Amino acid sequence: MSHSDKPVPESNNRLRGSLTSDINKPDFRELDLGSPVSPLRSQPRGLTTTTTTTSSSSSSSSGSVTGRIRHAPVTGRSGSVTGSQSGSRSDSVTSNSQQPLSSSSSATSPSTAAANVLPTGNICPSGKIQITGMTQSRSRSDVLGSGTGTYGHGSIMRGGGGSSVSPAKPISTRQALSSPVTVGGSSRSSPVAVGSDPEEVKRVGNEMYKKGLFSEALKLYDKAIALSPTNAAYRSNRAAALTGLSRIGEAVKECEEALRLDPNYGRAHHRLALLLIRLGQVDSARKHLCLFGKPSDPMELRKLEAVENHMSKCADARKLGDWKAALMEADAAIVSGADFSPQLGMCKVEALLKLHRLDDARSKLLEVPKAEPFPSSCSQTRFSGIACEAYTYFVKAHIEMALGRFENAVMAAEKASKIDPRSNEVAMLHNTVTLVARARVRGNDLYKSERYTEASSAYAEGLRLDPCNAILYCNRAACWFKLGMWERSVEDCNQALRFQPRYTKPLLRRAACNNKMERWAAAVSDYEALRKELPHDKEVAESLFHAQVALKKSRGEEVLNMEFGGEVEEVYSREQFKAAMNLPGVSVIHFSTVSDHQCKQLSPFVDSLCTRYPSIHFLKVDIDKCPSIGNAENVRVVPTVKIYKNGTRVKEIVCPSKEVLEYSVRHYSG
């Protein structure tokens, strides 16, 4: 910290910082549908992560760049020498806006021209400068030879006298531009001179901060700290820049370092309190916010109390197992001000998991704020009886278990146990996860050895410890399937789908069981649901086709010449066309020409529909090659699609869009 020539009284020293947030991965791939460890058939769901970059910019200085001259000390009336640096410490960022302060130091002599004078004072929340003092030019004018000004590199003669004054030693251009900062990336902008004066470096950093250029400001604050490592204000300003970059954990550490250097630095206490509120550390925040007995801003105290109230209700709801209330109170606490709280984010993940909304829980897990490195002063703060940092791994262990990643779950539980060894809830989870993982491994080994009854018992042991685990239910259903116990297999599949509605493996297994029991309507329903999840899976499409054929047969419908899949059949004669129209079921006929651009675009889509709706006959007629068919069907515009059902035309679409065509095909396929 910089010091003035005169000692600062202790009372002023205390107040000088015046106060103004995969799904279950298999152990191996088994093509048999009944395997408990065959891969899941699921669509990849990607999540886009947006990265925000801060462009560097700079501002032009109010002074000249080339040949910038530092003024020599000027002897005042009393004979004292005015130094080139200010003795008082410049304060940091205001409390609400968290903006760094402009430097209050002045490196100019009293005789400096007014055009080169920078106002000093604090930066208000509005961004304006509250002027506390400004160097005034003297009433007398500086004339050549008066000896009152510095005009360049030559000698200056006073009033025609014979005595000369030694010229002020100028700073070289290279020295003046040792750390140039370019504003806005404009080639017309002049670089700001940043020399070895830490107050000047900080002042330029404050300018960058006010422009929202937090990365540039951070670099300048780093340089100021390197020049003056014991200045608490520089550490506090660095915390402000880190906050702007959403590096909250690092910002907390910088505030703590500022307070280590100056325990009475009020502004650092206030900034740290605001950061701790954002992290949900309300008890610690209160200590810093009410350092001198009462808060400087009643609004901040009300924010702290609102966060504290909702977090308390959230923890109570969690203990009672009221997960809907826990989810609601966690959201309310975040809205109230704890917007960067990892424990509240993880509480929402846990609540969604307990409500069997696994997909939502996985999405929320990616949105949980990461205060890394986690401040050591916050790591042992407790949320719902568990250390905050341990709670993060506690919830991760739960979600890894639900997804069937048992090894990952064990590692997460071990980390939680090491961070908080005295929590009974963490210890119980660690024990449970370890035993469930062992039961699953033993069940898989027995299943591979075709000891299905013993394997089912091993999975049952895991379910006694974790009765909501969809993976274990699905694995046990595979054992019942192998043992020919279709009903029991369906029951376990139903349980798995209860806890994970979009889990495709139990849906496949249940459809296979319904096939075995000749419950064709139920099988068709399951396969149709699978087609929505896995639209390009040919095995599912073929299974659906055979189930549909079997259902038609069970209803007494005629199913002659029904074959699965194939390609779009091209029609070359009127006889072939008439035979196709009279086929049982649904036929889709695409009239086109090779030369038409719209037909070229639609043809690949018709080919894909042929694969996705294998029970439907798809035919193609080129009216240039077979004009007689086009004339007989009165086709004047291509592409045209006609749909026939059991020999009767039910739909004609001229120049159909892909959406309309698929909707019509799906409608008549039922």
Side-chain angles (χ1 to χ4, degrees), residues 452-453 456 478-486:
Y452 304 120
T453 302
S456 67
C479 297
W480 303 138
F481 185 90
K482 288 292 187 179
L483 293 168
M485 303 171 72
W486 321 121

Side-chain angles (χ1 to χ4, degrees), residues 327-453:
L327 190 62
M328 181 181 67
E329 292 296 337
D331 278 327
I334 290 170
V335 171
S336 297
D339 61 329
F340 216 89
S341 171
Q343 62 266 34
L344 287 174
M346 296 307 290
C347 185
K348 291 180 65 175
V349 172
E350 184 182 20
L352 290 168
L353 188 60
K354 296 294 184 180
L355 293 170
H356 311 309
R357 295 165 57 182
L358 181 60
D359 288 340
D360 291 338
R362 295 174 71 188
S363 298
K364 285 296 177 186
L365 184 63
L366 300 176
E367 299 173 9
V368 173
K370 294 178 176 60
E372 295 177 352
F374 201 86
S376 56
S377 58
C378 304
S379 60
Q380 292 304 314
T381 305
R382 308 189 81 76
F383 173 76
S384 190
I386 304 175
C388 289
E389 190 176 8
Y391 181 64
T392 298
Y393 291 105
F394 177 88
V395 177
K396 284 183 178 179
H398 274 294
I399 199 167
E400 294 288 7
M401 281 276 287
L403 294 170
R405 300 195 284 251
F406 295 90
E407 293 79 7
N408 292 347
V410 170
M411 288 190 290
E414 286 177 349
K415 287 183 179 179
S417 184
K418 288 179 181 178
I419 295 170
D420 191 359
R422 62 191 181 95
S423 170
N424 291 331
E425 194 172 1
V426 171
M428 289 176 61
L429 175 70
H430 186 200
N431 183 60
T432 298
V433 168
T434 302
L435 293 176
V436 171
R438 288 176 184 172
R440 196 275 302 225
V441 170
R442 186 165 62 256
N444 286 358
D445 291 340
L446 291 167
Y447 185 93
K448 294 174 188 177
S449 302
E450 299 183 1
R451 298 159 64 180
Y452 304 120
T453 302

Side-chain angles (χ1 to χ4, degrees), residues 176-189:
L177 302 179
S178 59
S179 297
V181 181
T182 304
V183 175
S186 172
S187 60
R188 294 179 298 174
S189 302

Side-chain angles (χ1 to χ4, degrees), residues 473-537:
Y473 276 116
C474 186
N475 286 6
R476 192 171 68 173
C479 297
W480 303 138
F481 185 90
K482 288 292 187 179
L483 293 168
M485 303 171 72
W486 321 121
E487 287 287 1
R488 297 190 70 173
S489 184
V490 168
E491 289 174 5
D492 275 357
C493 288
N494 290 340
Q495 285 287 80
L497 291 168
R498 174 191 168 195
F499 299 122
Q500 292 190 29
R502 299 186 68 178
Y503 187 10
T504 56
K505 282 180 71 174
L507 196 57
L508 277 166
R509 194 155 286 134
R510 189 175 70 180
C513 290
N514 287 325
N515 269 342
K516 293 288 185 180
M517 294 184 289
E518 297 185 358
R519 296 176 180 172
W520 305 119
V524 168
S525 177
D526 284 342
Y527 285 126
E528 285 178 341
L530 284 164
R531 285 289 285 162
K532 293 178 182 179
E533 293 291 324
L534 310 170
H536 304 293
D537 192 307

Side-chain angles (χ1 to χ4, degrees), residues 74 161 204 644:
V74 178
V204 180
Y644 291 80

Side-chain angles (χ1 to χ4, degrees), residues 49-63:
T49 304
T50 305
T51 304
T52 305
T53 58
T54 305
S55 60
S56 64
S57 66
S58 60
S59 64
S60 58
S61 172
S62 59

